[in-house]
Amino acid sequence: DCQCFHVLREVNEAKAVDAVRATLRPGGLLMVLTGNDAEPEAGPNVLSRKQLTRPFARAFDEEAVIASRFDRTLHYDTLPHPPLAWV
């Protein structure tokens, strides 16, 4: 997932999670990249840590949720720094 979940969750969060679970092989890993609400004024749509992890809790074991920053882009280079992200 690269900034897809925040959109799909607005349509049908449970179906989005079920689709990911059905797609992964047993033991497979899911990496989600989305905006971090600790910096809501910059960058892409944002989620809180709870908004990100709660939907997956029933179907997945959480390995890690790390606050990070998006990679630099032409647009993000116009900002003081790339926006915060959850990985």
Side-chain angles (χ1 to χ4, degrees), residues 68-79:
S68 185
R69 290 205 176 268
F70 285 93
D71 290 337
R72 292 197 136 337
T73 65
L74 290 176
H75 172 69
Y76 293 161
D77 282 344
T78 66
L79 304 173

Side-chain angles (χ1 to χ4, degrees), residues 18-61:
D18 288 344
V20 170
R21 187 181 60 219
T23 302
L24 288 174
R25 292 184 177 138
L29 297 175
L30 168 66
M31 184 182 95
V32 176
L33 171 66
T34 193
N36 181 327
D37 73 339
E39 193 173 54
E41 68 281 351
N45 291 344
V46 297
L47 298 177
S48 69
R49 188 178 199 279
K50 186 176 183 178
Q51 287 174 309
L52 174 60
T53 58
R54 181 187 43 79
F56 293 99
R58 66 178 173 78
F60 292 90
D61 295 327

